[in-house]
């Protein structure tokens, strides 16, 4: 069965960790720590020179995770991400060129948007699941509520400003599929190899989300 971005976001709920990996040797332990905390979908950002090797290592060693490449801002990165083993790709914004690159790479793609016109452009290209970036705690919750009327059926993954403290405000919105964020795997904890603490942050996010599902 072909993987869709909708399925990626469904499995990612509540949170898709956004990973900035500075040392390839830490990638697999990091992925396992997040998996132990109950998360199944990870996004490795191509923001460090080691990112593609880190992505390849996770894909090889922890194949049961769904693994994406993020922060794609150049068309060439789509093929590189695919070759390293990415199963989906994410970008902070959206352009015609990036849309073509995603089609050429034949990868499920989560484009980033911030405004109604950007949502419309992505919808014109057939996308119905979008990253909302950056996500400001108060303004973005308000904006997502307003988006619900005109953008029927469009679902969002707010990222860039989400933390354990504001997670539920986003997740309780019906047009939010999941959120993304670095807070479950902060660089300081990765550098310190504090895997138990990272697992704990993932557990905490999952428990918060579970409390919400119980209420509904
Ligand atoms: C992203 O690339 O999605 C964001 O930079 C993550 O932002 P955060 O650090 O606020 O989670």
């Amino acid at each position: 069965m072909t993987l869709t971005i909708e399925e990626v976001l469904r499995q990612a709920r509540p949170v898709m960790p956004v990973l900035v990996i500075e040392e390839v040797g830490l990638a697999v332990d990091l992925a396992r720590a997040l998996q132990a905390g109950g998360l199944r979908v990870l996004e490795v950002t191509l923001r460090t020179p080691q990112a593609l090797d880190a992505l390849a290592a996770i894909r090889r060693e922890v194949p049961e995770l769904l693994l994406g490449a993020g922060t794609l801002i150049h068309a060439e990165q789509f093929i590189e991400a695919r070759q390293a083993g990415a199963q989906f790709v994410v970008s902070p914004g959206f352009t015609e060129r990036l849309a073509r690159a995603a089609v050429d790479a034949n990868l499920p793609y989560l484009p980033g948007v911030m405004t109604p016109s950007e949502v419309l452009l992505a919808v014109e290209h057939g996308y119905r699941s979008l990253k909302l970036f950056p996500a400001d705690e108060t303004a973005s919750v308000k904006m997502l509520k307003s988006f619900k009327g005109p953008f029927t059926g469009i679902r969002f993954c707010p990222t860039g400003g989400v933390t354990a403290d504001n997670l539920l405000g986003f997740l309780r919105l019906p047009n939010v599929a999941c959120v993304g964020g670095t807070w479950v795997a902060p660089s300081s904890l990765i550098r310190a190899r504090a895997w138990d603490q990272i697992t704990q942050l993932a557990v905490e996010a999952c428990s918060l989300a579970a409390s919400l599902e119980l209420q509904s």
Side-chain angles (χ1 to χ4, degrees):
M1 205 178 75
T2 318
L3 180 68
T4 62
I5 200 67
E6 283 67 34
E7 177 60 16
V8 171
L9 298 192
R10 192 187 68 74
Q11 292 202 35
R13 192 173 173 100
V15 55
M16 173 148 65
V18 172
L19 306 178
V20 181
I21 303 178
E22 294 165 342
E23 249 187 81
V24 179
L26 301 180
V28 171
D29 285 344
L30 170 61
R32 290 206 172 111
L34 290 162
Q35 185 188 31
L39 302 179
R40 293 175 290 177
V41 181
L42 310 182
E43 174 190 332
V44 177
T45 62
L46 302 194
R47 290 186 211 172
T48 61
Q50 302 80 3
L52 287 170
D53 288 341
L55 198 150
I58 298 173
R59 185 74 201 282
R60 193 172 57 241
E61 301 295 327
V62 203
E64 58 280 19
L65 286 169
L66 258 182
L67 192 60
T71 320
L72 271 67
I73 54 173
H74 303 295
E76 305 72 49
Q77 292 173 310
F78 285 70
I79 292 295
E80 288 168 4
R82 188 193 165 98
Q83 284 167 348
Q87 294 157 289
F88 66 95
V89 282
V90 185
S91 61
F94 182 72
T95 68
E96 301 278 346
R97 198 154 175 249
L98 295 185
R100 267 200 309 279
V103 171
D104 292 347
N106 195 24
L107 282 171
Y109 176 40
L110 184 69
V113 297
M114 181 58 191
T115 66
S117 297
E118 290 164 6
V119 173
L120 285 178
L121 181 67
V123 168
E124 277 177 13
H125 282 79
Y127 293 98
R128 302 185 69 75
S129 292
L130 308 170
K131 166 170 166 154
L132 183 82
F133 177 80
D136 171 83
E137 180 170 354
T138 314
S140 301
V141 167
K142 210 165 155 231
M143 191 166 76
L144 284 161
K145 283 183 183 161
S146 308
F147 277 3
K148 199 172 160 284
F151 302 127
T152 316
I154 308 303
R155 302 193 82 211
F156 296 88
C157 171
T159 308
V162 183
T163 65
D165 294 333
N166 60 27
L167 170 71
L168 292 185
F170 288 105
L171 285 182
R172 64 166 58 96
L173 301 175
N175 55 350
V176 167
C178 64
V179 301
T182 58
W183 93 92
V184 278
S187 295
S188 54
L189 293 187
I190 299 175
R191 280 189 212 118
R193 296 168 163 74
W195 310 129
D196 288 350
Q197 285 182 61
I198 289 176
T199 298
Q200 203 39 51
L201 289 171
V203 167
E204 185 193 2
C206 293
S207 323
L208 280 168
S211 68
L212 193 67
E213 315 296 343
L214 281 178
Q215 283 165 29
S216 59

